[in-house]
Amino acid sequence: MVFESGDRAELRVHVRHLQDEGVDASMIRIDTLCGRLKYPSGYRLSRFVTDPACESDNDHADD
């Protein structure tokens, strides 16, 4: 997770900032957290990353 907010405009600014830094838009995930009646709705911004476990498996292979 990179960013979390209840403000949609603030989320858009953060997404634009990531894109200006050269982050591929297909690597950005936006989740809308529906709060229903009890909690306010929110937005969570995440970036997809390669699985570090796959890279470390080669270094520590089980025999």
Side-chain angles (χ1 to χ4, degrees), residues 19-58:
Q19 290 174 327
D20 290 345
E21 288 181 346
V23 175
D24 182 4
S26 68
M27 300 301 287
I28 298 173
R29 174 182 168 150
I30 300 172
D31 294 307
T32 303
L33 308 171
C34 183
R36 308 259 181 211
L37 299 173
K38 188 173 181 179
Y39 302 103
S41 295
Y43 305 95
R44 184 176 290 162
L45 176 66
S46 304
R47 287 181 58 184
F48 291 106
V49 294
T50 58
D51 184 3
C54 290
E55 294 174 8
S56 64
D57 286 346
N58 294 335

Side-chain angles (χ1 to χ4, degrees), residues 6-27:
D7 183 359
R8 185 184 301 195
E10 191 176 11
L11 174 75
R12 281 185 280 209
V13 168
H14 203 81
V15 169
R16 273 189 242 126
H17 178 70
L18 287 175
Q19 290 174 327
D20 290 345
E21 288 181 346
V23 175
D24 182 4
S26 68
M27 300 301 287

